[in-house]
Amino acid sequence: MDKYIIEGGRPLYGEVEIQSAKNAVLPLLAASVLTEERVVIRRCPRIADVLNMVQILGELGCKTGFEGDALIIDGADAANHEIPSALARELRSSVFLLGSVVARFGRARIAYPGGCDIGLRPVDLHLQGLRRLGVGVREEGGCIDCSCSGVRGAEIVLDCPSVGATENILLAAVTARGTTVIRNAAREPEIVDLQNFLNCMGGKIAGAGTSVIAVEGVRRLHGAEYTPLPDRIEAGTFLIAAAMCGGEIALRNAKSENLASLIHKLREISCKIHAKDDKIYIECGARRLSPKLVETSPYPGFPTDLQAPMTALACICEGSTVIVENLFETRFKHVPELIRMGADITVRGRSAFVRGVPRLHGADVCASDLRGGAALTLAAISAEGCSTVVDLGFVDRGYSDFEGKLRAAGARIRRVRV
């Protein structure tokens, strides 16, 4: 197990290169199962979740390997329809493989997927969508078994705009017989990226980014080379880091249009932000006003994955902030650790009431999930004194060389083996 040792209180200056989006790359890797031809994912981040998914692809029979920053996947010999239980339980996004594996092999078996413990994330919408596409689904013994003689198109209305369910249905429907229409679809940029990737492979999909997506099934998909979109959550994390520490940083390979809700909040608290081409520039002084309300909601609303870092920022703003978490019921596990650092926070149900303090102080804290671990790291680099952050395995799931990028911007942070 590793930990960060951090001496806080220094402003951030410099440039940070943003990785390709974790939440885009994982469904693209699932999509690679749909073809027997070679797939190349360029600028593929070597984060724990991606490496876990690559290992699952290998267990299915795909040949995989990195060439520089490009991941090469050859699915010609893939034949296994069972996703290993141990790997599935480590990675929530393994559930995306249900749609692609059953579409290619006519059957799929997976243990209930794992990931961060941030509350209930049922797969009911995934399974309902697959059933509508003619897939038989049986749940027993902690596993999901899917089978069909051929996926067929259907009209599917999602009860809520689930990102994962939308992606799983797309993966199953792209080679189905007939046309599929998904209503109340998720609108996240990562959905658009999956559509673009599948269309590069020969798919016929339109409407991603809106609430209605139409899929005209094709007989087969071919190989493709593709560069995923930049990671809006990593970019948002570094914008919040600059707001907490003060200073001036530029983010390369970042799309400001995918971060409109966060940028609005940061401008509200007196940060100066402008964007040009694929760069976002942020300048922040020592005085930060308090965002009055931060409420998570599906895209284009405020992202749940930035709620924890935003809570850390609110701790050192002038005034009070109400943080409302609408998507996951246990996503405040970072709060007790922030309180150890001097934060003044009260949690009631899905809301956190944050009263700003002049500064946080160093403490020994423990990450309990991916974005909470990032939030504690930001709190530590902005705090007065020395801190340690342990259980970095969570942080490694979503950030590539997080400490190196922070250190290059001026933070005093190092990683050591416990």
Side-chain angles (χ1 to χ4, degrees):
M1 184 173 68
D2 292 357
K3 69 178 179 180
Y4 288 147
I5 298 177
I6 299 167
E7 183 182 338
R10 293 167 60 88
L12 301 181
Y13 292 95
E15 286 195 350
V16 175
E17 176 123 12
I18 300 303
Q19 67 191 26
S20 292
K22 174 182 88 80
N23 292 334
V25 171
L26 294 175
L28 300 192
L29 297 184
S32 69
V33 174
L34 289 164
T35 180
E36 297 180 6
E37 297 181 13
R38 188 172 183 260
V39 169
V40 180
I41 308 296
R42 302 203 174 277
R43 290 181 54 88
C44 185
R46 299 196 192 196
I47 54 177
D49 273 10
V50 167
L51 297 179
N52 193 309
M53 183 68 94
V54 168
Q55 191 173 353
I56 292 174
L57 294 180
E59 293 290 336
L60 295 177
C62 298
K63 295 176 182 177
T64 63
F66 279 93
E67 294 181 5
D69 68 355
L71 175 62
I72 316 299
I73 305 143
D74 183 346
D77 296 329
N80 185 15
H81 70 279
E82 294 192 19
I83 297 144
S85 298
L87 294 173
R89 291 193 176 101
E90 289 294 319
L91 180 64
R92 171 71 184 181
S93 298
S94 60
V95 75
F96 298 142
L97 285 158
L98 277 179
S100 54
V101 171
V102 78
R104 178 164 175 185
F105 303 118
R107 52 185 180 161
R109 178 179 174 85
I110 187 174
Y112 277 94
C116 286
D117 181 14
I118 54 175
L120 293 173
R121 294 184 285 177
V123 297
D124 292 0
L125 293 180
H126 299 244
L127 304 186
Q128 289 169 14
L130 292 175
R131 287 187 176 107
R132 288 284 298 155
L133 294 171
V135 176
V137 179
R138 188 175 76 255
E139 302 173 71
E140 63 180 11
C143 289
I144 303 168
D145 280 289
C146 297
S147 62
C148 68
S149 57
V151 182
R152 60 176 184 268
E155 180 161 332
I156 299 170
V157 181
L158 294 175
D159 291 337
C160 67
S162 162
V163 174
T166 301
E167 291 173 334
N168 225 338
I169 294 165
L170 284 175
L171 291 168
V174 65
T175 55
R177 297 192 303 270
T179 299
T180 299
V181 177
I182 309 171
R183 301 190 185 278
N184 198 27
R187 299 163 57 191
E188 273 73 3
E190 294 79 12
I191 303 288
V192 178
D193 217 42
L194 179 58
Q195 169 188 272
N196 294 343
F197 178 62
L198 290 171
N199 286 347
C200 282
M201 297 172 72
K204 295 182 179 179
I205 307 172
T210 75
S211 61
V212 181
I213 303 176
V215 186
E216 183 182 340
V218 298
R219 291 187 61 185
R220 62 182 296 274
L221 297 178
H222 54 70
E225 294 192 12
Y226 192 79
T227 302
L229 84 169
D231 196 318
R232 61 193 173 101
I233 304 303
E234 186 193 31
T237 301
F238 279 98
L239 290 175
I240 293 171
M244 293 185 70
C245 295
E248 185 175 354
I249 65 173
L251 306 182
R252 299 193 308 272
N253 189 40
K255 289 184 175 290
S256 61
E257 61 267 29
N258 294 340
L259 284 162
S261 59
L262 172 64
I263 289 172
H264 172 74
K265 288 296 178 185
L266 294 179
R267 285 174 172 157
E268 184 181 308
I269 68 172
S270 71
C271 295
K272 298 177 181 178
I273 303 174
H274 69 278
K276 184 178 180 181
D277 299 326
D278 66 344
K279 281 190 176 182
I280 303 176
Y281 303 85
I282 180 168
E283 181 180 356
C284 301
R287 183 176 183 272
R288 310 166 198 84
L289 303 174
S290 174
K292 301 305 178 187
L293 174 66
V294 177
E295 187 168 6
T296 66
S297 61
Y299 189 86
F302 194 90
T304 181
D305 281 349
L306 289 177
Q307 177 263 109
M310 198 67 180
T311 301
L313 170 58
C315 290
I316 54 173
C317 288
E318 295 183 7
S320 298
T321 303
V322 177
I323 310 281
V324 182
E325 175 53 65
N326 289 310
L327 302 183
F328 297 111
E329 69 276 6
T330 61
R331 207 162 196 179
F332 286 124
K333 290 187 174 182
H334 54 285
V335 167
E337 302 300 283
L338 289 172
I339 292 172
R340 288 168 60 87
M341 303 180 75
D344 184 355
I345 309 172
T346 302
V347 175
R348 294 181 187 141
R350 289 179 178 259
S351 298
F353 301 86
V354 186
R355 292 160 290 277
V357 297
R359 66 186 61 82
L360 299 175
H361 56 73
D364 297 333
V365 294
C366 180
S368 58
D369 62 72
L370 166 55
R371 306 306 174 183
L376 295 176
T377 304
L378 300 193
I381 65 172
S382 70
E384 189 176 78
C386 187
S387 299
T388 63
V389 182
V390 300
D391 273 3
L392 300 186
F394 290 108
V395 177
D396 293 340
R397 289 188 51 232
Y399 297 91
S400 176
D401 192 22
F402 193 35
E403 67 276 9
K405 292 178 180 181
L406 288 169
R407 189 164 53 246
R412 289 183 176 174
I413 176 173
R414 59 192 176 94
R415 185 183 188 119
V416 299
R417 178 74 63 179
V418 177

